[in-house]
Amino acid sequence: MGIENGLSAGFSPDSYDAIIVGAGYAGAVCARRLVESCGFKVCVLERRDHIAGNAYDYVDEAGILVHKYGPHIYHTVNERVNEFLSRFTEWTDYQHKVLANIHGTLMPVPFNHRSLKLAFGDQKGEKLYQKLVATFGENKKVPIMELREKNDPELVEVADYVFENVFLYYTMKQWGQTPDQIDPSITGRVPVFVGDDDRYFPGAPFQGMPAEGYTALFEHMLDHDCIDVFLGVDARDLLKVSETSVAVCGRPYGGEIIYTGPLDELFGLDLGALPYRTLDMEFETLDMDQFQPVGTVNYTTSEDFTRITEFKNMTGQVVPGKTTIMREYSKAYTPGSGETPYYAILEDQNLELYRRYRERVAGLVNFHCVGRLAEYRYYDMDGVVASALDLSDEIIAQHS
Ligand code: FAD
Ligand code: UDP
């Protein structure tokens, strides 16, 4: 049937072997695999008016392909993920580069050999670089929190500079907390790079952008006779989950349910709300060919927004005389406000709250949680796809 707005008149849950909540990566990957490997008929319920979850892209009024929910750059070391997604798209060979605006000077991030020279001057920068090479080796990634533990005065100087000028203010804007207060894995995503590679994801063997965009990738993934997608449908209106049973449209449901939304919402937040950060995205179209030299510039010492992305620089699209940029403003997420929960806040008490929600569905053999929201994880796209491939493997094994 394809993609429809709203539920079809004769919608019957029992005509589906699986009901999937959410048409982002987690939901779409599971849908495709279950129809192909189990011969299932599945429906995907999506409350937004489009597929592709937070990876959704569209052409704006200026004719420029933009990412509605923030800049998305595909990168992975996972061959299986890459093979699976590559069935549904060609890739461009875009290699993402980010510059930090540090008091008006643009320096590569992850902070690397060239950044050191820009920050400290050629001679001193080289000397400090040689110290990093002697300590960690060449082409090594060193998380800032690890670098800060070193006692050597030259390494302390580098660590202090990078901490103050790359991480402190940006992290305060993004998380409302200092780098010492947040989980070290978060700043560890953007380590100091002891080398010359100035890509944001050095060492990722597969990176690029889907040649026709992310939404097209999802259109291809969901294009199957046995997948029905219903947009504008909030699954909470149909689904009733308790610790012992799952009902859909008021009747017990025996098929598989794959849930990719926030777990607390499913229970009316009755144990308390899972905390998230959300973003305000500010789009602007400018009458110029190019605004900035790279895809993204991080504002690490100034401004209220965290970063500016210029989409044409990432997609390679040619639109003379016009370019669309986007600024991201981070803030605490308020449940029920219509905001999007973008980033789980990885703190012990939040993970404990998540665990309590998760325990509630642990006894339901046909109810599965997968994805960045439903697993309350800081997943990149490839991490979600890997998790969805694993879950679908398990379900396929049970049905074969
Ligand atoms: P989502 O994409 O959030 O999809 C879940 C879907 O479920 C949503 O469409 C939602 O509307 C729907 N849903 C939820 N509840 C219900 C309900 N009750 N009923 C019906 N539908 C429901 N990753 C990268 O690899 N590279 C990047 O450059 C990158 N950049 C990012 C930038 C930002 C600002 C953000 C926030 C994330 C970025 N990511 C990036 C991560 C990437 O967006 C996620 O890993 C991925 O999109 C998550 O997929 P998902 O299916 O788990 O969740
Ligand atoms: N970060 C920073 N300065 C930067 C880049 C990243 O302080 O210039 C920190 C910040 O805490 C951020 C985290 O590193 O939230 C992870 O950055 P990444 O670019 O991976 O975040 P995402 O793209 O997921 O928003």
Side-chain angles (χ1 to χ4, degrees):
M1 187 176 62
I3 301 179
E4 296 225 331
N5 286 312
L7 279 185
S8 54
F11 176 77
S12 162
D14 293 332
S15 62
Y16 296 103
D17 303 293
I19 295 178
I20 297 178
V21 179
Y25 279 102
V29 169
C30 288
R32 185 76 194 198
R33 291 212 70 221
L34 296 185
V35 298
E36 284 185 343
S37 300
C38 298
F40 273 15
K41 183 162 172 51
V42 310
C43 80
V44 181
L45 307 176
E46 170 54 60
R47 65 182 169 195
R48 288 170 167 163
D49 62 1
H50 60 74
I51 58 171
N54 285 344
Y56 175 68
D57 54 16
Y58 67 99
V59 175
D60 71 6
E61 283 178 4
I64 295 165
L65 184 68
V66 300
H67 298 177
K68 180 165 182 173
Y69 305 101
H72 278 70
I73 301 94
Y74 171 68
H75 60 100
T76 190
V77 297
N78 186 320
E79 222 164 289
R80 187 181 185 208
V81 165
N82 192 59
E83 244 174 56
F84 183 79
L85 291 180
S86 299
R87 291 178 51 202
F88 309 108
T89 186
E90 304 276 319
W91 303 99
T92 70
D93 66 357
Y94 174 69
Q95 307 286 306
H96 193 45
K97 292 188 179 175
V98 175
L99 295 170
N101 182 320
I102 299 180
H103 302 297
T105 303
L106 297 179
M107 304 187 196
V109 178
F111 205 83
N112 66 7
H113 192 182
R114 190 152 73 86
S115 320
L116 273 168
K117 289 185 168 179
L118 285 165
F120 292 97
D122 278 355
Q123 220 178 338
K124 185 168 177 190
E126 186 59 32
K127 190 158 173 268
L128 293 172
Y129 178 67
Q130 290 310 329
K131 184 52 149 293
L132 286 172
V133 172
T135 310
F136 300 103
E138 220 162 0
N139 294 323
K140 289 286 173 344
K141 297 176 184 172
V142 186
I144 182 61
M145 301 316 279
E146 194 182 313
L147 187 58
R148 286 192 92 207
E149 286 166 8
K150 299 285 176 198
N151 291 322
D152 176 277
E154 284 183 316
L155 296 181
V156 168
E157 193 173 359
V158 176
D160 283 352
Y161 182 90
V162 176
F163 184 83
E164 293 287 332
N165 292 289
V166 178
F167 286 96
L168 185 57
Y169 185 56
Y170 187 102
T171 298
M172 280 303 297
K173 288 189 282 190
Q174 176 70 12
W175 298 99
Q177 289 177 295
T178 65
D180 316 72
Q181 290 170 321
I182 64 174
D183 191 285
S185 67
I186 297 173
T187 48
R189 288 166 57 89
V190 190
V192 169
F193 187 69
V194 187
D196 291 298
D197 193 336
D198 60 356
R199 295 172 301 168
Y200 205 56
F201 309 112
F206 311 109
Q207 47 181 313
M209 299 291 276
E212 297 168 58
Y214 290 100
T215 305
L217 184 166
F218 276 80
E219 278 164 3
H220 297 148
M221 195 171 3
L222 291 167
D223 180 18
H224 192 288
D225 285 347
C226 293
I227 302 177
D228 293 342
V229 180
F230 299 105
L231 300 177
V233 177
D234 193 323
R236 288 173 302 175
D237 296 339
L238 314 180
L239 197 61
K240 186 92 193 93
V241 179
S242 76
E243 287 181 34
T244 50
S245 67
V246 183
V248 181
C249 298
R251 294 185 31 216
Y253 183 73
E256 305 289 350
I257 301 223
I258 293 168
Y259 181 76
T260 77
L263 204 46
D264 56 351
E265 281 190 5
L266 204 55
F267 295 100
L269 318 185
D270 64 356
L271 297 175
L274 286 168
Y276 289 93
R277 298 290 288 180
T278 188
L279 299 170
D280 284 334
M281 317 277 185
E282 184 183 275
F283 289 84
E284 188 179 4
T285 298
L286 304 165
D287 292 325
M288 55 173 69
D289 285 330
Q290 191 175 21
F291 171 75
Q292 63 189 27
V294 290
T296 299
V297 173
N298 288 357
Y299 285 76
T300 59
T301 58
S302 64
E303 312 299 343
D304 293 337
F305 49 84
T306 51
R307 57 188 176 188
I308 297 184
T309 293
E310 183 170 11
F311 294 100
K312 276 169 46 179
N313 289 349
M314 301 194 317
T315 58
Q317 195 186 1
V318 178
V319 182
K322 295 250 180 243
T323 191
T324 300
I325 62 169
M326 189 194 66
R327 300 179 182 85
E328 288 169 61
Y329 297 84
S330 175
K331 63 183 189 190
Y333 164 75
T334 307
S337 61
E339 294 165 352
T340 305
Y342 285 118
Y343 296 89
I345 301 178
L346 306 178
E347 289 177 9
D348 287 348
Q349 73 268 26
N350 304 345
L351 297 173
E352 171 58 20
L353 179 58
Y354 172 76
R355 197 194 56 72
R356 288 173 61 210
Y357 277 117
R358 188 75 192 244
E359 219 170 66
R360 284 192 171 168
V361 294
L364 301 171
V365 288
N366 64 335
F367 186 89
H368 314 277
C369 296
V370 63
R372 178 153 156 145
L373 293 165
E375 295 183 66
Y376 201 65
R377 294 276 297 267
Y378 194 163
Y379 273 138
D380 284 322
M381 295 182 279
D382 63 331
V384 172
V385 173
S387 187
L389 290 173
D390 288 347
L391 171 64
S392 43
D393 281 347
E394 281 171 31
I395 299 174
I396 291 162
Q398 281 164 18
H399 288 271
S400 54

